[in-house]
Amino acid sequence: MTTAVAATATVAPKGPRPRGLVWTVLRVHRPALLVWCAYVLLMVGWMLWVQHVSGARIRAELDTCRRRPEGACIDVMTFSHSMNEGWIGTFIAYSSYGIAAWAGAALVGRELERGTAQLAWTQSVTPTRWLTAKLAVPAVALTAGTTVLVLVYRWFWSADEVLRGDEWYYTDPFLNRGPAILAYALCALAVGALAGLALRRSLPALAVAFGFVLWFHLYLDDHWSELWPMRTITGTVSGHDLDALPASHFWPLHLMTTGVVLTVAAAATGAAYWLLRRRTR
């Protein structure tokens, strides 16, 4: 008996451990957090490789081509770099689709479908605190990771004007060089949570959240240029005549786009809390 008690006493103290809703959310959704971290590291590594490895090789080839009578290789090498740049921009710009699908299916929908959320509400956790933790923890991770992506992409896009394939008013660099891309991520999180609460099924919530964010993203891609008065030295610019826009229009248009996306995110968040309170009265 003495030996068993002593053994238990030596095993029991393991030091302080994180507790509470935050720790629960981190533990349950740890695989998703690891995937997000891996995604951010992969994109950063890809940008560094394109700029410092393949980009350096292409710039060396371009220097050689300039000393030749015919520079046919310039087009091929520049096209290869532009393709890499384009794919990087696309992956970053449209990552919100995956966030919306995950939030609707796993973050909220699965919890309600399996009854684990209802079980938590019968304990000391209120529904409001439960939803707040569910949204706050991934929001912090998304903000940190997206900020890193924005800063590295801004450097990557502006580092070499010779090899740059996309102008500032193209969809990907327009979104990825400022807070609009973070606004899309938070909006996708809120829409996914709302879909999960409304449908209480993981797969339908996944489909609805993904579909809405896809539609909203594509719609705003076609209309962001209409959010700010477009006037140049020669007069008013048509909404589709983006070539005539000066680069100084970037931040007004970008911030207006960010505001629209954040408004939708706030509306989805408010609707999620309203729906949760109504169903748990």
Side-chain angles (χ1 to χ4, degrees):
M1 176 68 70
T2 306
T3 305
V5 173
T8 303
T10 57
V11 173
K14 296 182 179 180
R17 297 181 60 185
R19 298 179 184 275
L21 279 175
V22 173
W23 171 246
T24 301
V25 174
L26 286 173
R27 183 181 59 187
V28 173
H29 299 288
R30 181 173 54 186
L33 179 61
L34 293 176
V35 170
W36 171 246
C37 293
Y39 166 78
V40 172
L41 292 175
L42 175 63
M43 298 308 300
V44 170
W46 193 359
M47 285 185 277
L48 292 174
W49 183 84
V50 169
Q51 180 61 30
H52 291 299
V53 180
S54 65
R57 184 171 62 250
I58 292 172
R59 286 188 289 271
E61 290 287 341
L62 290 178
D63 290 338
T64 304
C65 285
R66 292 190 184 99
R67 292 190 287 268
R68 296 175 181 172
E70 297 180 359
C73 62
I74 294 179
D75 294 334
V76 176
M77 300 296 289
T78 304
F79 178 76
S80 174
H81 183 87
S82 298
M83 286 291 292
N84 274 311
E85 179 186 307
W87 278 113
I88 290 171
T90 299
F91 275 113
I92 296 176
Y94 297 101
S95 59
S96 56
Y97 297 168
I99 296 168
W102 170 77
L107 186 68
V108 174
R110 186 175 62 188
E111 298 284 325
L112 294 173
E113 186 175 14
R114 295 180 176 179
T116 54
Q118 293 85 341
L119 178 61
W121 300 340
T122 62
Q123 309 299 320
S124 59
V125 178
T126 64
T128 300
R129 286 183 57 207
W130 173 84
L131 181 58
T132 300
K134 285 287 184 181
L135 293 176
V137 174
V140 170
L142 289 173
T143 300
T146 305
T147 300
V148 172
L149 290 176
V150 168
L151 294 176
V152 178
Y153 184 86
R154 285 183 61 85
W155 161 80
F156 172 72
W157 184 84
S158 61
D160 197 335
E161 295 183 1
V162 176
L163 298 179
R164 183 188 303 162
D166 295 341
E167 298 295 335
W168 72 268
Y169 48 79
Y170 284 31
T171 299
D172 296 346
F174 176 76
L175 292 178
N176 296 343
R177 294 189 300 124
I181 195 63
L182 174 58
Y184 267 116
L186 298 178
C187 181
L189 177 66
V191 169
L194 176 59
L197 286 168
L199 300 175
R200 299 188 178 187
R201 295 291 185 273
S202 57
L203 291 181
L206 181 154
V208 170
F210 182 89
F212 176 84
V213 172
L214 173 63
W215 169 82
F216 178 56
H217 201 299
L218 295 178
Y219 177 83
L220 204 53
D221 282 352
D222 290 335
H223 295 279
W224 62 261
S225 59
E226 303 169 8
L227 296 175
W228 188 259
M230 294 190 175
R231 294 186 177 275
T232 62
I233 297 176
T234 59
T236 303
V237 178
S238 168
H240 297 286
D241 188 16
L242 297 178
D243 291 327
L245 284 177
S248 59
H249 280 59
F250 168 76
W251 278 113
L253 285 167
H254 186 92
L255 294 177
M256 289 295 293
T257 302
T258 303
V260 170
V261 179
L262 288 178
T263 299
V264 175
T269 303
Y273 278 102
W274 174 82
L275 183 61
L276 180 65
R277 285 193 293 268
R278 181 178 179 181
R279 288 187 170 179
T280 55
R281 285 177 180 174

